[in-house]
Amino acid sequence: MSEKVKVMIVDDSSIIRKVIEKQLTTYNIEVVGRAGDGVEALELFKKTHPDIVTLDITMPEMDGLQVLEEIIKIDNSVKVMVITAMSDKATGLKAIKLGAKSFLGKPFTEEKLKETFEKLI
Amino acid sequence: MILLYDSDEKAYKLRAIAGGYKTVFPADLIIKENEGMIGKAGSSKRIQISGDVTKDPNYVKKAGEITKSEMCVPIISGNTVLGVLDMQSIEENAFSEADISAVEMLSTQVATAINNARLFEKAQHEIKVREKAEADLIESHNEVLEAKKEMEIIFEELQRSHAEILDAKNETDIIFQNVEEGLFLLNSDGKIGSQYSASLKKMFNVDDLQHHDFLELLKDKIDAKTTASTEEYLELMFKKDIDESMLNELNPLTDVEFSFSNSIGVWTHSSYYSFKFKRIVEENGDIEELIVTVVDVTDEKKLKDQLEETEVNQKRQMDWLLSILHVEPELLQDFIESAQSELDFMETTLKNSRKPSEYRSVLRKVYRSVHLVKGNASLLDLKYFINFSKVLEEKITKIERNEKISGMDFLALVMDIDEGKNVLHELTDVIKRIGKIQENFRPKRDYEKKLFIQTLENYINSSANEENKKVDLIHEQFDSGEIPYRYRLVIKEVLIELIKNSIFNSIETIDERKKLRKKESGTIYISTEKIKNKFIVKYRDDGRGIPVDELKKKAIESGVYTEEELNSWNVQKLASLIFNSELYGLDSKGIFGNRTMNMETIKMKLRRHSGIILLESSGEDYFEFIIELPIKEEIS
C-alpha cells in the first residue's frame, strides 16, 4: 500500500478547516496538523513536515503570504495550495510567485477543491 | 643477410637471408639502430669488418649463431642508408680485400634494386590512387546529376509552397483586417509581434503596435495595481513548471477598464476589455510565445452594471418593504411628510446661502434638520434613513471643523440631500404599490359582507344543532364592509368565541325556552358602529346571561376572594369576574371549561391591536359585550 500523503490545513475558520478535511477524506491522506493562525501554522509545520499544506491567505497574527515564504524557506519541496478570495487575484499571483503550487478561490465547491488537490498529489 | 632500415622504428629488419644461418636467425629479426656491427655500419655509413668477433666490442650475438668473423656493408642510395648487407662466417678472418670490393659493388646494386622496387611500388600505388579518384569522380558526377534532379524537384515544390504561402498570407491578412477581436503574439520580452489584428490598433488607440512593449501600452490606460499584477502574471505564464489552467484563473486582465485621454490628458472615455493568454509551447517544452486574444466587453459590462444597479434598487425596495411593514401607516405617512419638508428646507437653505460669514450658521440649521429626521427615523426604526442622516451629520460636522468653509462644500451636501429626496420618492412609490396590491386582492365589499356573516351563521347553525338548540343571528346593524381590513380576523375570532359561549352556556334549549316563555329560537345580536376614532362591535344574546353564581363559586374556590367579600357585590360587579385572569387556568380553556369564552384569549387578541372588550351589561336573560378598536386614516 502506498504511503499516506501528509496534509496540514491552515485557516482561521474552524468550519472551513473541518470542511476541507471532510471533503479530502476520499484521498489517501493523513491530516498531520490543523492551524488557525500563521504563528501556529509555522510551529506545526516544523513539527509535522507535511507534504501538502492548504493555506488561507487572510489570517490574523501573521498574513498568509508571510507564512508561505517561511514555509518554503524551511522546506522548498512542500506543495502549498493557497486559498484566497476569488476577487483577490493580485494576492494569488504573489503567492504563486513565492512558490505556492496551486490556488483555490473562495467560495469553493467540493468539486473544485478536489480538482485543485488532485493536481498536487 | 639483407636488413632494411625502418625509419619509424629506428631499427634494421631482416628481409632476406641465405646460407647456413637460414634456420638460425628468426624471420622477424630486428637490430636496433646503433646496435652491434650492423647498427654501427648503418649509422657510420662505413663497412664494419671483424676478423675475430669475440674480441670486437661492437659484436652482438643475436641468436644461436657461432660466428667468428663478420662483415657489415651499408646499403646506401644517395646519402640515405637503406639498409645493411651482413655476412657472417664461422671461420676467423674469413673476408679478404677482394671480398670487400665485391660486396661493396653488390651493395650498390642492391641499393639500386631496392630504390627501383620502391619506385615501382610507389608508381603502382599512384596508379591505384588515380584509378580510385577517377572512379570517385564518376560517382560524384552521377551524384551531382541526381542532386540536380532533386534540386529541380525541390525548386518546383518551393514555387508551389511559395504560392500557397502567399495565398495563406492573403487569407491571414483578411482575417487580421476584419476580425473584431484583438489578436497578437507576445514574446518573453513582453513585446508585441509584427503581425496583429487591425482592431487591436483601435483598442489601444495606437497606429503601429509592432514590437511595442505590452506593459508600457497598458500603463497609461489601466490602474497601477492591475498593471503590476499583469507583469507578475506574464512572468509566471512563461514558466513551464506552473500550471496554465490555474494561472488563467488569476488573469488580472478580465473585464478591465481602459481609460482614454485626449492630447492634454483629459479623460475622454472608457472601454472594457478581456484578455486571454495561451502558451505556444516548443517541442522541448519551452514556452516560446503567448497568443493573446482581446474582446471588447464594454456593452456587456454596462448591461451587467445596469442589472446590478437594478438588483440593488430592488433589494433596497424589498428592505424598505420589510422595514416599513412593522410601522403604522399613519406614522409612516407622517414621517415621509416631515422628512420631505426637512429635506426641502435643507436644500433651500444651502442653495440660498450667499455670504461666507453666514455659512456656519447655515450649517447649524441644516444639522438640526438632519437631526430631526434621524430622530423620527429612529423612532420608527427606519434603518436606511437613520444611516442616511448619520452620514449627513458626519459630513456636516467635518465641514464645520474646517477653518474655512466654501460654497463647494455645500455642493456635496446638496447632492446628498437630493439623493435623500429621490429615496423618499421611491419609498412613497413602494407604499402606493402595496396599497394597490392590497386593494386588488381585497374581495369586493358586498361579497365580503356576505362571506363574513355566512361564516358566523354556519358556525351558529352547526353548534346549535349539536346542542339541540335553535339560534338566529340578527345582523342588520352589522356592516362587515366597515371593518378595517386589519381587524377582520380578530373580530371574527372574538365573535366566534362569544357565539360559542352563547350556544353552549347561555342560550337555553328549545324546551327550556318554552318553559321560560321565551321564543323557541335564541337570538344573537351583532352590530357595528364608528364613533370618532373608534370602531365598535356590539354583541348580545338573549340567553341566561353571565352565570354569576358559578362565577362567585369559582372565585371563592380559587381563593382569590372570600364569600363574605363577594356577598357584598352586586350582579354587575359579580359578572365582571368574567374578566378576572386569576380565575383562568394556564391551559387556555374557558373559565368553566373548554366551551366557555376565554376572556383572557379574547383580551390578548384584541390587545395586539390596541383594542378592548367591555361587559356593557348583564342580566338574567342576556348579556352584552362591546368591543372597541382604534381606527386611523389609511395611507392613500
Side-chain angles (χ1 to χ4, degrees), chain B residues 34-59:
Chain B
N34 300 316
E35 186 187 5
M37 288 175 66
I38 294 172
K40 197 165 180 193
S43 56
S44 66
K45 295 181 187 171
R46 283 170 144 187
I47 297 172
Q48 303 291 314
I49 296 177
S50 177
D52 182 358
V53 298
T54 61
K55 290 178 182 156
D56 193 332
N58 291 320
Y59 175 76

Side-chain angles (χ1 to χ4, degrees), chain A residues 89-90 93 102-103 112 119, chain B residues 229 243 245-246 249 251 254:
Chain A
K89 291 177 180 178
L93 284 167
S102 68
F103 153 87
K112 192 69 191 166
K119 289 180 184 172
Chain B
S229 290
D243 180 48
S245 60
M246 176 200 61
E249 288 184 52
N251 176 5
T254 51

Side-chain angles (χ1 to χ4, degrees), chain B residues 324 326-339 376-377 379-380 382 431 632-635:
Chain B
I324 64 174
H326 70 284
V327 182
E328 288 288 343
E330 196 180 302
L331 287 175
L332 192 57
Q333 185 67 24
D334 284 345
F335 170 79
I336 290 171
E337 283 170 11
S338 158
N376 290 341
L379 256 165
L380 302 179
L382 295 171
I431 292 165
K632 293 174 178 81
E633 286 299 322
E634 290 187 1
I635 294 173

Side-chain angles (χ1 to χ4, degrees), chain A residues 10-17 35-37 56 58-60 106:
Chain A
V10 184
D11 199 301
D12 58 342
S13 160
S14 62
I15 295 170
I16 291 182
R17 292 199 299 269
D37 64 65
D56 179 23
T58 45
M59 284 192 302
K106 277 186 195 173

Side-chain angles (χ1 to χ4, degrees), chain B residues 201-237:
Chain B
K201 291 190 280 190
K202 196 178 156 197
M203 285 176 176
F204 280 108
N205 201 24
V206 172
D207 283 333
D208 183 10
L209 289 161
Q210 197 182 101
H211 307 310
H212 241 91
D213 189 293
F214 178 60
L215 287 171
E216 281 299 317
L217 275 174
L218 294 179
K219 265 184 190 157
D220 60 348
K221 292 176 182 62
I222 65 175
D223 63 272
K225 192 178 169 193
T226 306
T227 309
S229 290
T230 305
E231 192 174 354
E232 282 182 341
Y233 172 75
L234 291 176
E235 199 184 306
L236 292 170
M237 277 297 276

Side-chain angles (χ1 to χ4, degrees), chain B residues 118-145:
Chain B
R118 283 181 177 173
L119 277 170
F120 178 74
E121 208 179 286
K122 196 175 170 185
Q124 287 294 105
H125 177 72
E126 275 183 18
I127 288 167
K128 277 185 187 161
V129 165
R130 217 171 270 170
E131 280 172 355
K132 188 171 183 305
E134 270 179 28
D136 285 348
L137 194 62
I138 291 166
E139 200 182 318
S140 294
H141 178 68
N142 289 339
E143 281 174 3
V144 165
L145 284 175

